[in-house]
Amino acid sequence: MGDATTADFTRSAILACIGSLGPTSRAGLARYLGVSPALITQKTRQLLADGLLVELEHAPSVGGRPAQLLGLAADAGGAIGVKLVADHVTLVEVGIGGAILRSQTQPFDAAAPTAIPALIEVVRRFVDSATSQRLLGVGVGVPGDIDEQGVGTVDSTQLGWHRVQLGQALRTALEIPVLVDNNVNAMAIAEHLYGQARGQDHALVVTIGTGVGGGIIVDGGVYRGSSGGAGEIGHIPAMEDGPLCQCGARGCLEALVGQEALVAEGQRRGVIGKDAGIEGLRAQADRGDQRAQEVFSTAGHLLGRALAGLVNALDPEVIIISGEGVDAWRHWSFGFEPALRSGVVPRKRGVPVAVEAWHDDRWAQGAASLILATPFDSQGVSGDQGERVRARLSAVRGDRESQ
């Protein structure tokens, strides 16, 4: 990097770091970012003068001079997050600290011929009504494979999209930075910045529901694989000659524990009628129906065995489980916990498992985190769009970056 780029990167990283950690001392910033205290002092002095940081109370001290804490100015920056599924879209606006300022959900038909123009119009209206005067960019989370965050070409069986140039379409229409990624990768980034994986460099984020997804945090960043498709936990082979999966293979984990499979099993056992869905199956389990509980417990066992192999291979510090399926987690857990603990090698059996409630706006917050995480993108995953986000974040208040 040249000196100018390094300077911008440091400024934006300081702001993003305080957004993630909360009010922080200069010494704490230097330790977290791995740079010299002198550089932090220089950059924070500039950020204070530019009105992007404010000095807060002193932190308690057991000896010596109390440390001055630095916090974000009220309008240090914000981002838009967009979460797409086949039949609706959820949008949020977040502050640089990740807090949701407003949200909106509305119908969306991914299969319609006019899907992309319709989506552009929805996002444009939401961007135009942003409360932040320093909007950094738009992050989009989709169920599928994305080539590169900064390019945003989408392949998604759930959306029925093949090589859709979503990122380019949104960038051209909105004229602000746009990053696109798999929705579970986006959720993993949010967990690393603001959630259960904050401060941990290795984590496994798993979502259960319609399908099974995975986001893998390695060395503090999302592991994407050679073509951006890492994390397809749902397509781990779990049964020889098992049921057909939407990917075309047989016996995938998703084909055994996804909602469609659980409903079909509940119907086969006579627990629910042919017109009932996953809510009916869960209701029966909640009422104490042993057959319904066994459907979820068996799914938990299969999931636990699959994740045990990943724990042995990846050695995460924490497993985070979310998605719409966690509403029935107490029934899953009877099979999951024994299968996971017995399947991992002895020294890893204590890996913690955190289960988080599922909400659409949480997923959209994850999409916004694609933007807020760019100051920590030392590997350049976000490409030129990430550079634009960092430039907007580190710009002096009142500057208007050319679009």
Side-chain angles (χ1 to χ4, degrees):
M1 287 186 185
D3 291 342
T5 303
T6 301
D8 288 344
F9 190 94
T10 305
R11 281 171 60 94
S12 63
I14 289 170
L15 294 171
C17 184
I18 296 176
S20 174
L21 301 178
T24 310
S25 69
R26 291 169 176 82
L29 290 169
R31 287 193 301 270
Y32 191 88
L33 296 174
V35 297
S36 71
L39 181 60
I40 291 295
T41 297
Q42 175 192 353
K43 296 304 176 185
T44 55
R45 184 184 299 119
Q46 296 170 355
L47 290 166
L48 286 164
D50 293 339
L52 300 177
L53 291 181
V54 293
E55 290 187 325
L56 304 175
E57 73 279 2
H58 288 81
S61 175
V62 294
R65 182 179 177 182
Q68 177 82 57
L69 296 182
L70 299 174
L72 295 172
D75 191 29
I80 302 296
V82 181
K83 191 255 185 176
L84 286 179
V85 294
D87 61 355
H88 69 273
V89 55
T90 298
L91 307 96
V92 298
E93 181 182 356
V94 304
I96 197 173
I100 296 175
L101 305 177
R102 62 191 179 104
S103 64
Q104 172 185 315
T105 297
Q106 65 181 69
F108 171 69
D109 183 2
T114 57
I116 300 304
L119 177 64
I120 288 172
E121 186 56 30
V122 168
V123 178
R124 189 202 308 277
R125 288 198 301 267
F126 198 78
V127 168
D128 288 345
S129 60
T131 60
S132 174
Q133 296 179 13
R134 295 173 56 80
L135 194 60
L136 305 175
V138 175
V140 185
V142 299
D145 292 339
I146 315 300
D147 54 354
E148 298 176 32
Q149 282 186 358
V151 177
T153 302
V154 179
D155 283 300
S156 173
T157 54
Q158 291 189 40
L159 299 180
W161 290 2
H162 176 65
R163 307 304 294 169
V164 172
Q165 307 293 315
L166 179 62
Q168 181 60 50
L170 286 170
R171 282 191 297 274
T172 300
L174 302 175
E175 298 184 326
I176 59 174
V178 175
L179 294 172
V180 184
D181 208 339
N182 173 271
N183 53 9
V184 187
N185 281 348
M187 175 69 81
I189 291 171
E191 290 290 349
H192 188 245
L193 284 178
Y194 311 112
Q196 300 280 353
R198 186 168 68 177
Q200 297 171 323
D201 289 335
H202 302 271
L204 182 60
V205 178
V206 180
T207 59
I208 57 173
T210 305
V212 181
I216 305 168
I217 300 290
V218 175
D219 291 331
V222 170
Y223 177 72
R224 297 174 52 83
S226 61
S227 61
E232 291 285 1
I233 292 174
H235 300 292
I236 292 175
M239 178 182 291
E240 192 77 26
D241 296 325
L244 183 67
C245 181
Q246 65 174 350
C247 73
R250 289 192 173 273
C252 292
L253 181 65
E254 184 172 297
L256 298 169
V257 307
Q259 284 184 2
E260 186 176 329
L262 299 187
V263 169
E265 181 64 12
Q267 292 170 345
R268 188 189 69 80
R269 295 186 181 211
V271 180
I272 53 176
K274 63 178 182 179
D275 295 326
I278 193 68
E279 295 83 4
L281 183 63
R282 185 179 69 248
Q284 288 296 96
D286 290 343
R287 294 187 188 104
D289 188 302
Q290 185 175 354
R291 296 168 302 168
Q293 292 172 348
E294 286 176 352
V295 171
F296 289 111
S297 179
T298 299
H301 175 85
L302 291 168
L303 181 67
R305 291 289 295 176
L307 296 193
L310 291 174
V311 169
N312 289 336
L314 299 173
D315 194 20
E317 297 168 88
V318 63
I319 300 171
I320 301 164
I321 299 178
S322 188
E324 58 266 42
V326 301
D327 287 347
W329 183 253
R330 65 191 182 99
H331 305 302
W332 285 70
S333 64
F334 286 107
F336 176 83
E337 279 292 334
L340 175 72
R341 304 303 171 185
S342 65
V344 299
V345 296
R347 69 182 181 86
K348 299 178 183 177
R349 285 180 185 160
V351 60
V353 177
V355 180
E356 288 201 343
W358 172 83
H359 302 285
D360 252 2
D361 58 1
R362 176 68 167 143
W363 286 85
Q365 181 193 39
S369 296
L370 297 172
I371 298 295
L372 301 179
T374 56
F376 306 114
D377 178 21
S378 59
Q379 297 181 340
V381 171
S382 55
D384 67 329
Q385 295 301 295
E387 292 179 4
R388 292 186 64 202
V389 173
R390 288 191 291 271
R392 295 169 79 93
L393 181 56
S394 62
V396 175
R397 180 186 294 273
D399 273 4
R400 298 300 180 203
E401 179 195 12
S402 61
Q403 305 296 331

